[in-house]
Amino acid sequence: MNISQDNTVKFFLSTEDGTIIYAHPMLPQEDFSVGSPIFAMPDQGEQELDTTLVIKDEQHGVFDLYRLDNRYFKGIIGILRKDRVRENAIGQLEEEHRDLKAIFESSHDGIVVADGTGLFVRINNSYQQITGIAKENIIGSTAAEIVKKGIVSDSGTLEVLKTGQPYTIHQTFRSGRQSVVTSTPIFDENNNIFRVVTNVRDMTEINRLREELAQSKEKLDEYTKILETLTAEQKLAHSLVFRSRKMSIVTDAALKFAKVDAPLLIGGESGVGKEVIADLVYKNSSRSNARFLKINCGAIPENLLESELFGYVGGAFTGAKRDGVAGLFETAHGGTVLLDEIGELPLALQVKLLRFVQQREFYRVGGKKLIQVDVRIIAATNRDLQEMVSQKLFRSDLFYRLNVLKITIPPLRERAEDIIPLANFFLEKYNKKYSLKKRISGEVYRILTNYTWVGNVRELENLVERLVVICERDEITGEYLPEELRKTVAGAPPVIIPGESSQKTYKEAKEEFEKEFFRQAIAKYKTSRRVAEQLAVDHSTVVKKAAKYELSLSQKPG
């Protein structure tokens, strides 16, 4: 009954009274045979020519009837409508409707649609789940009404209808969910708003993930700091050897001060390792990839020190290079400078150094061009600069500029627990240097730990190197020590080292050493509090050790 696959138009011809005189071959012959009347022929009445009548039959479909009267034909022509096109179009619209409805309902975002007056006409299930607002409270109500009723605190739809522009707000609904709400206008062909589509995105999970990410970042930062600390400790283990609490305090301060660029003053007796601490600060600083230049202010003649530090221009003095020379500060731009033995700096030069420390700028010797550089200043001295200031041998303003951060390294005699580790370190160093396998006897360890070490670590290192070189046997014994050193510590108790004839274990040797160590301290300082102060340990530690080794503590200072 419908249009054929080749789009052939099906029709029939009849007389004016409705008798078929021709039918298209594809029409059913039993119903459209020549001479038979047209089925369900309507009453034509006074129907004019060239007008259309419509007959509809459930079996055959819909025919448009045209009454014609011309020189070619007088009668009725019936043409079968192309209902398949119409049905296909309707089917396609129905399918699109189903698709759009499925998409609308399957969206994880909540969607609500209002007409041009603000009346809500459509809502999906996600909107109800996110907001906790039932469909019946929205559909059929206007945006103004649901705000007035307190169903929502604000409406993007109202703002869109007011401004004609998309509008986004953040809302927390009665469900407790945090959402981003975006309302968007839809315009008709006359540029009037006929729909407002509001999209509600649930941000609760995203905000939770954001919080977790922030917490993870905090943990990452924490782990990074731990890793930096461990890395610094590894660097420390390779550059410094110590066991004492006093040196632990020094190294902690050095690592802390390495993180800033303020001037640093390192004090301590000659030979305690000021340059080693300066190296530690530099290697753990942000300038570790730049230059680290060192100068000993006491080793350069006064008349040459200024040009060494600040450089000079060509012709500045007799013998000067024609093009001039950059000084230490200029060469170290971006890096770090160590001014060792700063206490030996002449007063006249202290003025120029003060300007540089304050302003990071200077003139070369004989020059007129102001030079600006970026360097960190580390100064070191074995002298009491404060006392020198009071004696007017050092400028107070320069002292205070250099003394922003300060580290004082204790002498070796105040940290006896570092002596044996240092001695072993130097022993290994010079055994390797001279391809030897020397070892130190317990007798020598005893003497080393009881010596005063006026020259500090430098003196200890020089002695160990000397012993390694001059000792003819594999074991270094007391006979190879300088006579004055042996005399100084005569009568000191022995230190037992594993590997000797006693064959003591490490634990036994450690306890024996610890017992003797505390016995001597208690004998000298008497009370637990004085012992604790001198050994830099807790008062409770002294009491426990005294009880463990059955050592008597005095109640009052002797």
Side-chain angles (χ1 to χ4, degrees):
M1 267 44 68
N2 294 331
I3 189 167
S4 63
Q5 295 296 327
D6 58 0
N7 291 325
T8 302
V9 176
K10 303 171 187 177
F11 67 96
F12 66 85
L13 299 175
S14 75
T15 61
E16 290 182 277
D17 60 3
T19 302
I20 296 174
I21 57 177
Y22 173 81
H24 191 278
M26 294 185 68
L27 290 174
Q29 292 301 310
E30 65 272 17
D31 295 321
F32 291 91
S33 60
V34 175
S36 63
I38 300 173
F39 60 89
M41 180 65 184
D43 183 12
Q44 299 176 48
E46 297 299 325
Q47 187 80 19
E48 295 182 2
L49 297 177
D50 298 325
T51 59
T52 303
L53 293 173
V54 179
I55 60 173
K56 183 175 181 181
D57 182 76
E58 295 295 331
Q59 181 180 359
H60 303 103
V62 178
F63 286 84
D64 291 322
L65 302 183
Y66 297 90
R67 185 167 177 270
L68 303 178
D69 186 2
N70 55 47
R71 66 178 191 174
Y72 300 106
F73 178 74
K74 183 177 181 181
I76 297 171
I77 180 171
I79 301 174
L80 183 63
R81 285 187 181 178
K82 299 179 181 180
D83 283 349
R84 178 168 293 178
V85 174
R86 179 176 61 84
E87 290 172 2
N88 286 347
I90 293 172
Q92 185 176 355
L93 289 174
E94 289 176 346
E95 183 178 358
E96 288 180 358
H97 175 73
R98 287 194 301 270
D99 289 346
L100 290 174
K101 185 177 180 181
I103 293 170
F104 186 76
E105 289 298 340
S106 64
S107 173
H108 289 292
D109 290 350
I111 303 174
V112 62
V113 182
D115 65 14
T117 67
L119 180 71
F120 291 109
V121 296
R122 192 177 299 276
I123 184 176
N124 71 351
N125 289 328
S126 294
Y127 182 90
Q128 299 178 77
Q129 293 171 1
I130 293 172
T131 63
I133 302 172
K135 182 178 181 178
E136 52 268 24
N137 291 332
I138 297 293
I139 299 299
S141 298
T142 65
E145 288 172 346
I146 66 171
V147 171
K148 185 176 181 180
K149 292 177 182 177
I151 296 175
V152 296
S153 59
D154 195 4
S155 172
T157 299
L158 289 178
E159 189 67 23
V160 169
L161 292 174
K162 179 180 177 181
T163 65
Q165 299 294 325
Y167 182 70
T168 298
I169 56 175
H170 293 265
Q171 278 188 318
T172 300
F173 293 97
R174 62 178 64 174
S175 62
R177 294 186 176 272
Q178 303 164 347
S179 304
V180 174
V181 180
T182 300
S183 298
T184 305
I186 308 297
F187 298 92
D188 61 18
E189 62 274 8
N190 297 319
N191 205 33
N192 295 318
I193 297 176
F194 81 99
R195 290 288 186 271
V196 178
V197 178
T198 298
N199 188 86
V200 180
R201 175 151 296 180
D202 185 2
M203 300 297 291
T204 306
E205 183 67 13
I206 295 175
N207 289 339
R208 185 186 66 80
L209 292 174
R210 188 174 293 157
E211 290 177 3
E212 288 184 0
L213 180 61
Q215 292 173 358
S216 297
K217 187 177 183 303
E218 288 180 5
K219 290 183 179 179
L220 179 60
D221 291 341
E222 182 180 346
Y223 294 151
T224 300
K225 290 179 181 179
I226 293 173
L227 181 60
E228 288 176 349
T229 302
L230 292 174
T231 302
E233 289 176 353
Q234 287 180 341
K235 290 181 180 179
L236 194 62
H238 287 88
S239 59
L240 291 176
V241 177
F242 64 90
R243 294 290 181 273
S244 64
R245 185 171 180 272
K246 288 184 178 181
M247 279 305 294
S248 179
I249 293 172
V250 168
T251 54
D252 286 347
L255 293 174
K256 180 179 180 180
F257 295 161
K259 305 304 179 185
V260 295
D261 272 346
L264 170 63
L265 180 62
I266 302 175
E269 295 179 4
S270 179
V272 292
K274 295 185 289 296
E275 188 172 331
V276 175
I277 295 299
D279 285 334
L280 180 65
V281 171
Y282 162 72
K283 289 176 181 177
N284 288 277
S285 72
S286 59
R287 299 175 182 261
S288 59
N289 292 323
R291 291 184 173 184
F292 183 30
L293 302 183
K294 308 171 185 179
I295 188 169
N296 190 317
C297 299
I300 300 175
E302 181 177 342
N303 59 335
L304 296 178
L305 187 55
E306 182 179 8
S307 60
E308 287 291 327
L309 292 175
F310 300 101
Y312 60 85
V313 297
F317 49 83
T318 303
K321 292 184 179 180
R322 185 176 63 178
D323 297 330
V325 172
L328 184 76
F329 295 132
E330 197 171 343
T331 305
H333 178 61
T336 305
V337 169
L338 171 62
L339 300 176
D340 200 5
E341 303 302 342
I342 189 70
E344 308 303 322
L345 194 69
L347 275 170
L349 194 52
Q350 291 178 24
V351 178
K352 190 168 185 177
L353 179 61
L354 173 63
R355 175 187 172 88
F356 173 72
V357 174
Q358 289 178 323
Q359 307 295 334
R360 293 295 190 271
E361 60 185 26
F362 62 91
Y363 294 95
R364 286 187 182 183
V365 175
K368 296 181 180 180
K369 179 183 176 181
L370 189 64
I371 298 173
Q372 293 183 329
V373 296
D374 173 28
V375 296
R376 184 185 187 178
I377 301 295
I378 299 177
T381 182
N382 60 1
R383 303 182 65 178
D384 185 346
L385 294 186
Q386 191 124 31
E387 180 63 24
M388 292 180 67
V389 168
S390 65
Q391 296 177 5
K392 302 192 181 302
L393 297 175
F394 200 88
R395 292 183 62 94
S396 60
D397 44 10
L398 177 59
F399 169 71
Y400 292 122
R401 287 301 303 169
L402 294 175
N403 198 38
V404 176
L405 303 173
K406 186 175 182 180
I407 294 175
T408 300
I409 305 174
L412 189 55
R413 63 181 173 274
E414 293 182 6
R415 45 189 178 100
E417 56 265 55
D418 291 339
I419 294 174
I420 291 179
L422 283 167
N424 289 334
F425 174 78
F426 296 133
L427 178 65
E428 182 180 355
K429 174 181 176 180
Y430 290 111
N431 269 336
K432 184 175 180 181
K433 179 178 179 180
Y434 298 114
S435 301
L436 298 171
K437 296 182 179 179
K438 301 294 177 68
R439 63 180 183 275
I440 298 175
S441 69
E443 175 192 14
V444 172
Y445 277 121
R446 177 183 62 83
I447 295 172
L448 295 181
T449 54
N450 286 278
Y451 183 56
T452 54
W453 300 109
V454 177
N456 292 292
V457 179
R458 186 182 295 121
E459 182 183 3
L460 175 59
E461 180 176 5
N462 292 341
L463 175 64
V464 172
E465 181 178 15
R466 175 185 174 185
L467 294 173
V468 168
V469 172
I470 67 172
C471 183
E472 298 174 349
R473 297 192 293 269
D474 288 341
E475 185 177 63
I476 301 172
T477 56
E479 62 187 281
Y480 290 98
L481 293 173
E483 185 177 353
E484 64 275 13
L485 191 149
R486 282 184 280 127
K487 288 181 179 179
T488 303
V489 296
V495 177
I496 306 300
I497 303 298
E500 296 193 62
S501 58
S502 64
Q503 292 297 315
K504 292 186 178 181
T505 64
Y506 169 74
K507 183 178 180 181
E508 291 171 339
K510 178 183 175 183
E511 289 184 349
E512 188 169 337
F513 176 83
E514 187 176 65
K515 178 179 180 181
E516 183 59 31
F517 182 74
F518 277 96
R519 188 194 68 76
Q520 290 186 51
I522 292 171
K524 183 174 181 180
Y525 300 112
K526 310 299 182 185
T527 67
S528 59
R529 295 201 177 276
R530 286 197 62 197
V531 171
E533 289 174 2
Q534 294 300 319
L535 300 186
V537 297
D538 292 335
H539 169 258
S540 60
T541 300
V542 177
V543 175
K544 290 177 182 177
K545 297 299 181 183
K548 178 180 178 180
Y549 299 120
E550 298 180 348
L551 303 174
S552 298
L553 287 165
S554 298
Q555 298 301 316
K556 297 181 180 179

